[in-house]
């Protein structure tokens, strides 16, 4: 907030005191922050609003294609100059519908032209762009809509509309709803189709919109990213114009993206846009460099993504670890079915690929033309990545196994690390600056500090730079927890750096379990060890915060409904086979859950025993466990959009099972809990 105080001078003249400089953070919707400008380098670049960045791209690349998509069998596209005009029309429509300054426009739907236009139109009109996860329940949508004081909500289809209609009465700020796909199934006042919505603004004068745009400053909020809740109630991360425009600029420089005047970069938009990673790549970075965004189909993650990749042939591609893992699983399955000769050639090429790429990382001279010709080119083509020179993974931890698998296919995955609170990326690895399992070095103009380092050099990763968020909307306490007195963002992640500044993530303090006995236990290594020891297990979650001992919730690998993504009762073929090997005839989760299958119980108990034997202390031993009826999923609410466990949600959902572990600490072994607490 700018404070301007006017007081009377004893002589009677009015004296105006210059406005106090804004602080580094604010939690007020109309607040302003001090920009973290530096004297030189990239952080000294002039600050831009979203409109200024967009106009500058239109001036340079107005005739270039900005957006591409497929409608039926037809390819459609929009040029930069028309994209900008459509956003302006949408902005005028929002104003006509009553959008107030610093109020939200919620967007609930799959990636599309309309999503982008809503987001940017809301910003141009002086509101906040607010992505809402399509998997949100009506109550979760209500929280976001209320928190952001949404005046308008733009939904994709009838299904999403129903969620908003259920909570409409509880949203006093809501003035209109727009549905951008499919026919409206019913007419309602204040419900518009996309065409009707754009029509509202078509003939509106420019002046009121231009006045709003002219009044915008780079240090004001324009976008809210709601955290997905892996660490508690979602928080509205306030991002300023400068956060978006500067991060887009700095990232494009760091990873050497090509400006459209030389050749247009192409990206495929398919990850949830309400998450900062997808939004930064698909909307802001691509706009900054005048690239093309190609929209995938809504069923991208259910199987159509590879077809879209083959059509779009992206030059840069970002996947969360689960996307790469799925590709890996699929390729392995296809590989297993191919002829012996093909398998041998592929295995040989992969061996050459891994060895050569590892030597390359060590700057040793390499040559692998034959493998490239025989296998790698074909693999890339089959994945639609034949033009893709930059493949990224990020937003969650990826296993070394997956990194090595792709490296062996000559597809080095560059890792990207960051948070919503850092407008997306903080560090990114590059082909010319790469260490396996490292997340690379920080963006130019940004700084990293490791707080409270231990003897091995592990400390809490703290960030500084113009990508750091403004604050959490209406949450001063949480903001002060995240930003220290000097303005460093504390990530809650543990990491260490090598002598060249390469960052390695080594844990998450924010999910550390602190037992009643005061022992600090990082859950992920124990959970990973259990999954590795018992391949039948799909998800494992360690319990023990403020408890006397550790226990674990387990789920079994099951089939997934391809349309909804919901976990089914049927086991995967791999799980059925694993059961056979254990002497179990189970084909369904319900035959195993709750300790119903003695052979599976024994195998899990044996696996957990092995993990316990390797534990560093008694407190780190898993004493009890239970197999749940249903696997974790995004739709079920246990996993976030990047497949990170939402621990507080799981604890609430399975309270009964957890209470059971601890209700009688001295209880003897049961089929569910074969190991009595020590
Ligand atoms: N490359 C990476 N490797 C390991 N962990 C990562 C990586 N990138 C991001 N993360 C993890 O994701 C966190 C950031 O998550 P993000 O800002 O996307 O929040 P979220 O998933 O929406 O929700 P919440 O804030 O509730 O966790 C980081 O603090 C880190 O723990």
């Amino acid at each position: 907030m700018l404070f301007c105080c006017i007081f009377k001078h004893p002589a009677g003249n009015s004296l105006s005191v210059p406005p106090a400089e804004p602080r580094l953070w604010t939690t007020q919707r109309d607040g302003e922050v001090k920009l973290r400008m530096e004297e030189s380098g990239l952080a000294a670049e002039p600050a831009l609003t979203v409109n200024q960045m967009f106009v500058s791209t239109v001036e340079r690349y107005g005739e270039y294609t900005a957006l591409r998509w497929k409608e039926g069998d037809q390819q459609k596209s929009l040029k930069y100059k028309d994209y900008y005009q459509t956003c302006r029309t949408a902005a005028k429509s929002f104003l006509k519908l009553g959008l107030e300054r610093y109020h939200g426009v919620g967007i609930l739907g799959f990636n599309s032209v309309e999503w982008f236009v809503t987001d940017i139109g809301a910003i141009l009109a002086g509101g906040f762009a607010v992505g809402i996860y399509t998997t949100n329940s009506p109550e979760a949508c209500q929280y976001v809509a209320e928190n952001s004081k949404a005046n308008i909500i733009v939904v994709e289809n009838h299904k999403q509309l129903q969620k908003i209609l259920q909570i409409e009465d509880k949203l006093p700020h809501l003035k209109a709803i727009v549905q951008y796909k499919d026919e409206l199934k019913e007419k309602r006042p204040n419900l518009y189709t996309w065409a009707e919505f754009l029509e509202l603004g078509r003939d509106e004068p420019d002046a009121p919109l231009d006045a709003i745009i002219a009044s915008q400053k780079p240090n004001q909020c324009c976008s809210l990213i709601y955290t997905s809740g892996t660490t508690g109630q979602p928080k509205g991360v306030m991002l300023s114009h400068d956060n978006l425009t500067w991060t887009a600029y700095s990232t494009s420089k760091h990873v050497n993206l090509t400006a459209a005047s030389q050749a247009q970069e192409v990206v495929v938009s398919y990850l949830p846009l309400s998450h900062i990673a997808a939004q930064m790549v698909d909307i802001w970075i691509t706009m900054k460099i005048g690239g093309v965004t190609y929209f995938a189909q809504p069923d991208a993650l259910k199987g159509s993504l590879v077809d879209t990749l083959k059509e779009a042939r992206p030059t840069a591609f970002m996947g969360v670890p689960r996307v790469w893992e799925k590709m890996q699983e699929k390729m392995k399955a296809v590989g297993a079915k191919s002829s012996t000769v093909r398998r041998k050639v592929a295995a040989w090429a992969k061996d050459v690929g891994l060895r050569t790429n590892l030597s390359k990382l060590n700057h040793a001279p390499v040559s692998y033309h034959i493998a490239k010709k025989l296998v790698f080119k074909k693999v890339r083509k089959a994945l639609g990545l034949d033009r893709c020179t930059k493949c990224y993974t990020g937003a969650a931890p990826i296993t070394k196994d997956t990194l090595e698998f792709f490296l062996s296919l000559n597809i080095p995955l560059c890792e990207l690390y960051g948070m919503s609170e850092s407008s997306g990326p903080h560090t990114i690895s590059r082909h010319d600056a790469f260490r396996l399992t490292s997340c690379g070095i920080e963006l130019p103009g940004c700084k990293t500090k490791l707080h409270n380092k231990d003897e091995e050099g592990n400390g809490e990763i703290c960030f500084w730079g113009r990508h750091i968020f403004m604050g959490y909307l209406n949450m001063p306490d949480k903001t002060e927890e995240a930003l220290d007195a000097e303005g460093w963002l504390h990530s809650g992640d543990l990491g260490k750096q090598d002598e060249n500044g390469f960052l390695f993530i080594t844990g998450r303090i924010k999910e550390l379990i602190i037992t009643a006995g005061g022992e600090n236990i990082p859950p992920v290594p124990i959970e990973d060890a259990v999954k590795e020891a018992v391949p039948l297990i799909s998800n494992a979650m360690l319990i023990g915060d403020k408890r006397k001992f550790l226990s674990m919730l387990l789920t079994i690998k099951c089939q997934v409904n391809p349309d909804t993504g919901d976990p089914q009762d049927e086991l995967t073929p791999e799980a059925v086979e694993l059961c056979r090997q254990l002497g179990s005839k189970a084909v369904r989760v319900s035959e195993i859950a709750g300790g119903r299958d003695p052979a599976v119980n024994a195998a899990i108990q044996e696996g957990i025993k092995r993990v316990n034997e390797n534990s560093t202390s008694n407190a780190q031993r898993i004493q009890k466990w239970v197999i749940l009826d249903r696997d974790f999923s995004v739709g079920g609410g246990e996993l976030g959009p990047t497949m990170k466990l939402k621990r507080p949600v799981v604890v609430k959902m399975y309270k009964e099972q957890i209470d059971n572990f601890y209700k009688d600490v001295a209880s003897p072994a049961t089929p569910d809990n074969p190991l009595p607490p020590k």
Side-chain angles (χ1 to χ4, degrees):
M1 277 276 264
L2 273 179
F3 297 106
C4 182
C5 31
I6 300 190
F7 61 90
K8 281 265 185 203
H9 191 265
N13 295 333
S14 276
L15 254 195
S16 77
V17 173
E21 206 184 9
R23 286 194 294 175
L24 285 174
W25 61 268
T26 181
T27 58
Q28 300 191 13
R29 55 185 61 245
D30 59 350
E32 296 180 6
V33 290
K34 179 174 180 224
L35 295 179
R36 298 165 188 244
M37 313 279 290
E38 303 282 343
E39 303 261 296
S40 60
L42 234 57
E45 285 291 315
L48 299 177
T49 62
V50 162
N51 185 69
Q52 285 167 334
M53 177 168 97
F54 204 168
V55 167
S56 148
T57 296
V58 173
E59 278 167 6
R60 269 182 267 180
Y61 310 122
E63 292 297 331
Y64 288 58
T65 299
L67 309 177
R68 274 178 63 200
W69 67 101
K70 210 170 156 189
E71 255 174 44
D73 282 340
Q74 277 198 322
Q75 287 284 344
K76 303 254 173 159
S77 64
L78 198 64
K79 289 179 180 175
Y80 268 102
K81 62 176 191 189
D82 301 324
Y83 176 24
Y84 179 64
Q85 284 310 325
T86 313
C87 292
R88 281 184 60 97
T89 306
K92 291 179 193 173
S93 299
F94 283 136
L95 292 173
K96 197 149 187 207
L97 288 174
L99 174 63
E100 295 158 76
R101 192 79 187 247
Y102 307 118
H103 280 55
V105 173
I107 321 167
L108 180 58
F110 185 73
N111 313 23
S112 67
V113 177
E114 294 86 350
W115 211 108
F116 281 29
V117 169
T118 299
D119 191 284
I120 299 167
I123 294 176
L124 298 186
F128 295 153
V130 185
I132 307 176
Y133 287 109
T134 52
T135 47
N136 270 13
S137 64
E139 293 70 32
C141 296
Q142 183 188 335
Y143 174 81
V144 173
E146 236 171 43
N147 194 259
S148 66
K149 295 196 179 160
N151 290 141
I152 296 137
I153 299 183
V154 177
V155 298
E156 179 182 357
N157 51 24
H158 189 68
K159 183 177 156 205
Q160 300 296 358
L161 174 67
Q162 293 313 303
K163 289 188 195 167
I164 302 304
L165 293 181
Q166 274 183 49
I167 53 167
E168 193 184 17
D169 293 345
K170 297 177 194 147
L171 300 174
H173 299 280
L174 187 63
K175 299 179 183 177
I177 306 173
V178 181
Q179 183 180 314
Y180 66 79
K181 286 265 155 74
D182 307 338
E183 300 274 293
L184 292 182
K185 292 208 174 150
E186 54 180 314
K187 277 268 165 209
R188 284 173 167 265
N190 304 323
L191 173 62
Y192 301 84
T193 62
W194 184 256
E196 288 166 349
F197 162 71
L198 281 186
E199 209 41 51
L200 290 173
R202 190 100 50 207
D203 297 323
E204 288 294 295
D206 284 324
L209 175 63
D210 286 333
I212 292 174
I213 289 175
S215 72
Q216 294 178 340
K217 295 187 197 162
N219 64 347
Q220 295 170 330
C221 180
C222 68
S223 189
L224 293 175
I225 301 286
Y226 281 83
T227 58
S228 59
T230 57
T231 53
Q233 177 75 305
K235 301 177 281 271
V237 173
M238 297 170 69
L239 296 182
S240 68
H241 291 263
D242 186 57
N243 284 149
L244 298 179
T245 56
W246 185 84
T247 308
Y249 178 56
S250 177
T251 311
S252 67
K253 287 280 168 208
H254 182 61
V255 300
N256 295 322
L257 292 177
T258 315
S261 47
Q262 294 163 40
Q264 272 190 297
E265 298 274 4
V266 178
V267 301
V268 169
S269 180
Y270 72 102
L271 289 172
L273 286 166
S274 23
H275 194 270
I276 186 63
Q279 210 182 104
M280 184 46 70
V281 173
D282 302 357
I283 304 184
W284 307 117
I285 297 177
T286 308
M287 177 190 287
K288 180 73 197 176
I289 56 166
V292 181
T293 302
Y294 192 108
F295 293 101
Q297 300 296 319
D299 60 355
L301 292 175
K302 291 168 197 151
S304 69
L305 178 62
V306 171
D307 294 333
T308 304
L309 290 175
K310 283 192 213 163
E311 277 159 26
R313 299 178 59 219
T315 58
F317 178 72
M318 152 95 195
V320 293
R322 188 67 196 127
V323 169
W324 294 109
E325 278 162 23
K326 270 178 125 174
M327 280 194 192
Q328 181 185 4
E329 282 161 18
K330 205 153 187 183
M331 284 159 76
K332 277 186 165 170
V334 172
K337 282 190 201 139
S338 54
S339 73
T340 321
V341 177
R342 275 173 161 234
R343 271 211 310 270
K344 279 192 173 156
V345 173
W348 162 80
K350 279 174 69 188
D351 183 47
V352 173
L354 184 59
R355 276 189 291 118
T356 338
N357 276 304
L358 286 172
S359 328
K360 233 184 186 175
L361 297 179
N362 294 324
H363 306 289
V366 293
S367 160
Y368 53 149
H369 293 304
I370 304 172
K372 217 171 184 173
K373 218 169 172 181
L374 278 179
V375 178
F376 302 151
K377 271 193 171 169
K378 286 186 187 149
V379 171
R380 274 185 175 268
K381 198 148 193 214
L383 293 175
L385 297 177
D386 55 322
R387 283 201 305 183
C388 193
T389 49
K390 301 162 203 91
C391 293
Y392 298 100
T393 174
I398 190 163
T399 62
K400 192 172 174 205
D401 179 56
T402 304
L403 290 173
E404 281 183 349
F405 178 82
F406 283 97
L407 199 61
S408 73
L409 291 170
N410 199 27
I411 305 178
L413 302 184
C414 294
E415 228 181 305
L416 190 152
Y417 160 74
M419 304 172 73
S420 314
E421 290 84 342
S422 64
S423 315
H426 176 66
T427 64
I428 311 181
S429 66
R430 297 192 307 233
H431 290 178
D432 62 341
F434 191 97
R435 303 277 186 280
L436 196 65
T437 74
S438 162
C439 298
I441 49 174
E442 67 260 336
L443 301 182
C446 300
K447 288 181 250 182
T448 306
K449 184 171 83 175
L450 296 176
H451 178 66
N452 265 347
K453 270 201 248 180
D454 65 15
E455 60 284 357
E456 284 164 27
N458 292 295
E460 183 181 13
I461 308 167
C462 300
F463 319 165
W464 176 275
R466 276 170 66 180
H467 59 335
I468 303 301
F469 75 135
M470 301 176 72
Y472 297 118
L473 182 62
N474 303 332
M475 293 182 173
D477 294 352
K478 295 273 175 210
T479 305
E480 280 188 296
E481 275 172 31
L483 295 174
D484 67 19
E486 290 168 8
W488 286 87
L489 170 67
H490 286 241
S491 67
D493 296 313
L494 270 181
K496 60 178 172 186
Q497 281 178 305
D498 71 9
E499 61 287 359
N500 296 312
F502 281 85
L503 185 71
F504 294 81
I505 313 291
T506 52
R508 294 220 318 159
I509 307 169
K510 46 196 167 194
E511 56 188 9
L512 211 61
I513 288 176
I514 306 176
T515 63
E519 180 120 359
N520 285 356
I521 301 170
V524 177
I526 301 180
E527 290 160 356
D528 284 349
V530 169
K531 283 192 268 180
E532 203 186 314
V534 189
L536 192 58
I537 291 172
S538 163
N539 278 292
M541 188 174 119
L542 197 69
I543 307 287
D545 209 38
K546 301 187 193 73
R547 306 283 193 172
K548 287 205 173 114
F549 59 87
L550 297 184
S551 56
M552 194 171 248
L553 301 175
L554 301 169
T555 68
I556 300 292
K557 283 183 180 157
C558 64
Q559 299 197 29
V560 170
N561 179 321
D563 295 325
T564 60
D566 288 343
Q568 306 293 288
D569 196 28
E570 289 77 28
L571 299 180
T572 59
E574 180 204 355
V576 171
E577 180 51 35
L578 287 167
C579 284
R580 294 289 162 277
Q581 290 166 13
L582 300 174
S584 157
K585 291 197 178 112
V587 290
R588 292 172 181 279
V589 177
S590 51
E591 293 166 275
I592 299 175
R596 284 177 212 121
D597 189 307
V600 172
N601 279 351
I604 295 179
Q605 187 51 41
E606 179 53 33
I608 288 188
K609 195 172 144 219
R610 268 183 281 134
V611 172
N612 281 342
E613 279 164 4
N614 288 328
S615 62
T616 45
S617 76
N618 246 346
Q620 302 235 3
R621 293 162 71 95
I622 306 155
Q623 308 268 10
K624 292 188 176 188
W625 49 269
V626 66
I627 308 168
L628 302 176
D629 290 333
R630 211 177 131 90
D631 196 3
F632 297 161
S633 64
V634 177
E638 300 95 338
L639 303 178
T642 55
M643 309 306 280
K644 290 198 290 272
L645 254 180
K646 290 190 186 176
R647 292 175 191 271
V649 174
V650 177
V651 165
K652 248 193 211 160
M653 282 174 81
Y654 296 100
K655 183 174 180 307
E656 199 185 318
Q657 286 87 340
I658 295 171
D659 285 347
N660 255 339
F661 288 142
Y662 299 98
K663 73 174 179 224
D664 180 6
V665 171
S667 69
T670 65
D672 275 9
N673 307 315
L675 190 68
K678 292 213 161 66

